Amino acid sequence: AGDLLFVSGMLPEANIPGDPAKGTRPSIGGDTRAQTVSTLQSIRRALVEQGLDLGDIVQMRVYLLGDPAQGGRMDFAGMNSAYLQFFGTAEQPNKPVRATVQVAGLAVPGALVEIEVVAARPQRPARAK
C-alpha cells in the first residue's frame, strides 16, 4: 500500500515432515527462540524479494503461544533473545515499534510464534528543480 509493505503473519519453517499415508501434515519443532530465528529469516527473505531489508521494518506484531516447557506461559525471553540477533545491532540498529501478546493457538501444529510486520520504503531525496 503506497510506500508501505504489509507482511502477513509468518510462522517458522516446518522442520518435522508429515506422513501423507498416515494423514499427518508437516509440523514445527524447536523452542520459542529457535522458532523466532526461523520466522525472522523468512521475513527477511520476503522483504529482500521486495527490495527491502529488516532495517525498513517500522512495526512488528509478535504472537506467542504458551510454551509447555515454560508452564504454559509465553517465552518472551526466548523470543527477545532471537529478536536481538536481528535488531538493535551494530549492523542493523533499527528497532521497530513492537507488540507481543500470548495467544490461545496458532495455525500449524507445534508453532509457538507468528510474526507480522509493516515495512516502509525509504524516502528518495527530492530532485532539484
Side-chain angles (χ1 to χ4, degrees):
D3 287 339
L4 298 177
L5 176 69
F6 295 83
V7 179
S8 64
M10 300 204 53
L11 296 164
E13 302 237 354
N15 56 6
I16 301 172
D19 185 345
K22 294 180 181 176
T24 60
R25 298 179 355 189
S27 62
I28 300 167
D31 61 11
T32 300
R33 184 184 181 290
Q35 289 192 20
T36 301
V37 167
S38 174
T39 303
L40 290 172
Q41 289 169 337
S42 294
I43 289 170
R44 178 190 286 154
R45 285 190 299 274
L47 292 171
V48 167
E49 287 177 11
Q50 299 299 317
L52 300 168
D53 64 30
L54 295 175
D56 297 314
I57 295 175
V58 294
Q59 183 177 30
M60 176 182 292
R61 290 184 196 93
V62 181
Y63 305 98
L64 295 178
L65 189 67
D67 186 343
Q70 300 283 327
R73 293 181 313 274
M74 69 176 180
D75 181 10
F76 182 84
M79 182 279 299
N80 204 51
S81 168
Y83 169 88
L84 291 172
Q85 286 182 246
F86 295 84
F87 299 95
T89 66
E91 179 182 299
Q92 200 299 99
N94 182 40
K95 289 173 117 178
V97 64
R98 175 178 68 163
T100 304
V101 296
Q102 182 170 335
V103 296
L106 295 170
V108 176
L112 297 172
V113 61
E114 180 174 342
I115 301 173
E116 63 182 62
V117 300
V118 177
R121 291 198 185 281
Q123 295 295 321
R124 296 184 184 144
R127 293 192 300 201
K129 293 182 180 184

